[in-house]
Amino acid sequence: MSELTVYGIKSCDTCRKALKWLEAHERAYRWHDLRADGVEIEQLQRWLAAVGAQALINRRSTTWRALSEAERLRAGDPEQAAGLLQANPTLIKRPVFESEGRVQVGFDATVRESL
């Protein structure tokens, strides 16, 4: 089985739920805390190319609501969106799963089936 990396924030309820599920299903993974460990701009660009800004940016978050209109407009441009996400990791929908170059966001039934 390929190595699975889970990107998230330890205080995120959905991330905690996903990690418990992975452990219950004996699925090995590597944890990466977006807030504590950060994320490289190149990786964010790959994620944006793979899933798109609509799937990756959490527009329901407190962080999103606190952004200025100019910053929100940046989210529509993939080049600028990566920088915005790097500066504000809590804008990233969580968790992000990456395995063999495949990127999945969230923890719904479709994502669980593929893990």
Side-chain angles (χ1 to χ4, degrees):
M1 200 167 269
S2 62
E3 180 172 303
L4 174 68
T5 302
V6 182
Y7 297 86
I9 294 174
K10 68 180 177 181
S11 61
C12 172
D13 289 337
T14 306
C15 291
R16 286 194 291 240
K17 180 178 166 184
L19 296 179
K20 278 185 181 181
W21 186 91
L22 289 168
E23 289 165 10
H25 288 81
E26 299 179 354
R27 178 68 162 96
Y29 65 89
R30 184 176 70 82
W31 170 252
H32 182 101
D33 191 302
L34 293 166
R35 185 180 284 153
D37 304 325
V39 62
E40 297 295 322
I41 196 91
E42 295 82 11
Q43 187 162 29
L44 290 166
Q45 290 168 337
R46 282 196 314 273
W47 291 354
L48 286 163
V51 300
Q54 195 65 29
L56 192 60
I57 297 173
N58 184 357
R59 288 177 170 81
R60 295 187 335 206
S61 72
T62 304
T63 306
W64 177 261
R65 290 190 297 269
L67 293 177
S68 69
E69 192 58 36
E71 289 172 311
R72 290 180 186 180
L73 290 172
R74 289 177 51 200
D77 176 355
E79 288 292 314
Q80 293 185 40
L84 184 66
L85 292 171
Q86 186 179 43
N88 302 282
T90 55
L91 279 176
I92 300 170
K93 277 188 190 170
R94 303 173 297 270
V96 176
F97 298 96
E98 190 170 36
S99 179
E100 295 181 346
R102 184 171 177 215
V103 178
Q104 298 177 87
V105 179
F107 193 61
D108 61 15
T110 305
V111 171
R112 283 191 298 272
E113 284 177 24
S114 69
L115 295 173

